[in-house]
Amino acid sequence: MSKNIIIFFGPPGSGKGTQAEMLERKTDWKKISTGDLFRSEIAAGTKFGKSADKYLKAGKLVPDKITVKLVEQGLKQKASGFIFDGFPRNKKQLSQLLDLFKKVLKKNDRVYAIEVAVGDKEVKQRLSQRRMCACGRVYHLFYNPPINKGVCDICGGKLFIRNDDKPKVIINRLKIYHHDGEPILDYWRKQGKLIKINGEQPIRKIHEEIMGKLKELKLI
Ligand code: AP5
Ligand code: MG
Ligand code: ZN
């Protein structure tokens, strides 16, 4: 059976995590979110988490070597597909991922990137109202609120504000995205593998568009 790889790409706050989770619930593909993986290592206080923490706090990228290792481990899981959220996000990571694909993917396996396009102004608005749960579930105070205030619908955990969702750090994250992201988009575009979605629409509408495109491509 062939494998599908869907790569969510977009600026901070574009809804990659939100859409990746919705897609994961509709398929039997496994989500690999580098940001979530780092955050759970940090919360668990591991050595690995401690070394990643300073990069996340500053809105800088964690060194590629550590990040690629995480992804390599994730790809070893048994699954009919993978959903990438937040990886690859620079040229080096892209070329390392393509090397990994050469090792683990077969001829009929299919890879597509989904660009969730959102402008900087909207990003800042969204991130200032985001709330998170340690289980990875994402909320927004207006657009996607939890049923009970401050509490996760899924696991009952207490919601918190991410410590990189501060105006200064958001500006830094956006700067890195615009600098490092363009060559990645170019690559997928030239390969004819880029699905561009207008990310400034309601969450459900975006999800439906994504499902429609994946059906068109006979991936689901
Ligand atoms: P990561 O966790 O990947 O953060 P990011 O790329 O900055 O993206 P976010 O998670 O902030 O946003 P999102 O696009 O997932 O949006 P969300 O669904 O939450 O990375 C964090 C850090 O980890 C990096 O800075 C770096 O340090 C490190 N890292 C991670 N990957 C790395 C890598 N590959 N290499 C090196 N370092 C790495 O939505 C945002 C908000 O908007 C939510 O409140 C949501 O409810 C709301 N929302 C979503 N969609 C909509 C919509 N359509 N309309 C209205 N509101 C919406
Ligand atoms: Mg995210
Ligand atoms: Zn939760």
Side-chain angles (χ1 to χ4, degrees):
M1 204 176 72
S2 65
K3 264 198 186 98
N4 296 315
I5 311 266
I6 299 299
I7 300 173
F8 277 99
F9 193 80
S14 54
K16 304 181 294 293
T18 302
Q19 296 298 331
E21 191 198 301
M22 290 170 95
L23 182 59
E24 188 183 36
R25 271 189 270 140
K26 290 270 178 78
T27 58
D28 51 7
W29 305 341
K30 284 202 162 55
K31 180 166 66 118
I32 300 180
S33 164
T34 41
D36 285 352
L37 290 169
F38 287 135
R39 280 183 289 276
S40 52
E41 292 285 334
I42 293 168
T46 64
K47 204 176 149 204
F48 182 77
K50 280 182 185 132
S51 63
D53 194 25
K54 56 177 181 290
Y55 297 100
L56 274 88
K57 271 195 186 124
K60 291 185 181 155
L61 295 190
V62 176
D64 296 334
K65 213 173 143 193
I66 306 181
T67 311
V68 173
K69 205 167 272 170
L70 267 185
V71 172
E72 194 168 1
Q73 276 168 7
L75 272 175
K76 282 185 185 149
Q77 300 170 90
K78 262 209 151 76
S80 63
F82 291 97
I83 304 164
F84 282 79
D85 162 22
F87 183 92
R89 52 212 277 168
N90 63 25
K91 268 162 99 177
K92 184 89 185 286
Q93 291 182 6
L94 174 66
S95 79
Q96 287 182 294
L97 181 66
L98 296 176
D99 286 346
L100 260 179
F101 282 168
K102 272 185 209 146
K103 280 194 249 167
V104 301
L105 295 188
K106 306 218 167 63
K107 207 171 145 245
N108 291 329
D109 294 344
R110 301 202 288 163
V111 181
Y112 280 92
I114 298 180
E115 177 192 2
V116 189
V118 172
D120 290 8
K121 199 172 153 215
E122 174 75 8
V123 162
K124 289 174 192 160
Q125 195 284 338
R126 285 186 190 175
L127 294 184
S128 66
Q129 310 287 336
R130 172 164 63 184
R131 295 295 181 272
M132 288 279 301
C133 177
C135 75
R137 178 73 177 224
V138 188
Y139 299 89
H140 186 281
L141 293 183
F142 301 115
Y143 299 132
N144 191 18
I147 296 166
N148 297 306
K149 196 172 168 230
V151 180
C152 178
D153 298 349
I154 306 291
C155 74
K158 194 167 168 266
L159 303 187
F160 61 89
I161 299 175
R162 250 168 67 173
N163 66 8
D164 56 349
D165 281 349
K166 298 188 178 104
K168 261 193 179 162
V169 185
I170 293 171
I171 289 170
N172 209 17
R173 286 157 63 199
L174 276 168
K175 221 191 263 169
I176 294 175
Y177 171 77
H178 290 303
H179 179 269
D180 293 357
E182 208 42 54
I184 311 260
L185 281 176
D186 258 7
Y187 173 81
W188 297 122
R189 205 177 286 125
K190 281 181 188 143
Q191 295 288 313
K193 298 289 184 194
L194 187 66
I195 302 169
K196 185 170 176 171
I197 302 276
N198 172 10
E200 297 199 20
Q201 306 183 80
I203 293 173
R204 186 135 296 280
K205 172 94 181 15
I206 296 172
H207 173 67
E208 280 159 14
E209 264 189 37
I210 291 172
M211 296 304 281
K213 298 268 184 195
L214 298 183
K215 274 178 197 148
E216 250 173 56
L217 291 163
K218 300 198 165 37
L219 295 174
I220 47 177

